[in-house]
Amino acid sequence: MTNKEKYKQAFSTMHIPDEFSLEVKKMTTTSNNKPKLNRLVASIAACVLIVGCATVAYATDFCGIQRTLQLWINGDQTDVTIQFDGNGNYNMNYIDAEGDSKNRGGGGVFIEDDGTERPLTDDELIEEITAPDVQYEDNGSVWVYWFDQKIDITDKFENNVCYIKLVKGEETLYMTVKYQNGYATAPDRYQSPSSFN
């Protein structure tokens, strides 16, 4: 007789009561449900996390980064929504002083010393947006806007050139304006009209 047959013969006379068997079954069922529930909760959390991250990544890649800032536009502090595309460009939306919705965009590249080009960074684009601006009005007046400053330069042109010193706190800019032909600024001196355009 083999060992297996000896064990069968020895334990065949033993009888386990039904109540004991039922309790064992209940414990098995209860202990098996908790890991399944924990796994289900963990799986749902992982799916939400993956979908959420994918959505944010998609929105960032597709739409760029969008910010809401307060900027000075035509001498008035204005809430603007700016979207940077990560390739040196921006698109800006705001409501002007008359209550009209305005859309403006721009961008560019920076040429390194070795001649290579790279897209402008978000900070460089904000510098471009906050730079002094010259506007020619329908009534013939010419205005310079820089932060909260509004300067009428209509009568300051000589031979179609105007020189303006702009000061804001510690910062000074020297501005050369050619009538309807562009302008240039520098922190240390006026630019020669022949050096631009």
Side-chain angles (χ1 to χ4, degrees), residues 18 62 87 89 91 107 139 152 180 192:
D18 288 338
F62 180 70
N87 293 319
N89 302 303
N91 189 23
N139 63 8
D152 184 355
Q180 294 190 344
S192 168

Side-chain angles (χ1 to χ4, degrees), residues 75-186:
D76 298 317
Q77 198 165 27
T78 308
D79 290 328
V80 298
T81 302
I82 301 178
Q83 185 172 351
F84 299 100
D85 71 356
N87 293 319
N89 302 303
Y90 71 92
N91 189 23
M92 180 169 72
N93 298 299
Y94 62 95
I95 305 296
D96 68 7
E98 288 79 37
D100 297 326
S101 179
K102 298 289 183 178
N103 186 357
R104 188 168 111 186
V109 295
F110 182 82
I111 301 174
E112 302 284 353
D113 292 336
D114 63 0
T116 58
E117 292 182 1
R118 67 164 173 80
L120 292 177
T121 65
D122 295 354
D123 290 336
E124 290 168 334
L125 289 170
I126 289 177
E127 281 182 39
E128 177 186 314
I129 295 167
T130 59
D133 188 29
V134 177
Q135 291 190 12
Y136 299 88
E137 302 297 333
D138 293 336
N139 63 8
S141 64
V142 183
W143 291 82
V144 171
Y145 296 100
W146 191 47
F147 292 102
D148 60 341
Q149 300 177 37
K150 303 175 188 180
I151 306 165
D152 184 355
I153 62 170
T154 309
D155 299 329
K156 297 184 179 186
F157 284 92
E158 291 183 23
N159 297 323
N160 287 331
V161 177
C162 174
Y163 299 97
I164 302 172
K165 181 179 177 182
L166 301 171
V167 178
K168 180 185 175 292
E170 301 280 322
E171 188 175 1
T172 301
L173 282 179
Y174 296 90
M175 186 173 194
T176 306
V177 181
K178 295 197 306 191
Y179 188 77
Q180 294 190 344
N181 198 15
Y183 61 90
T185 61

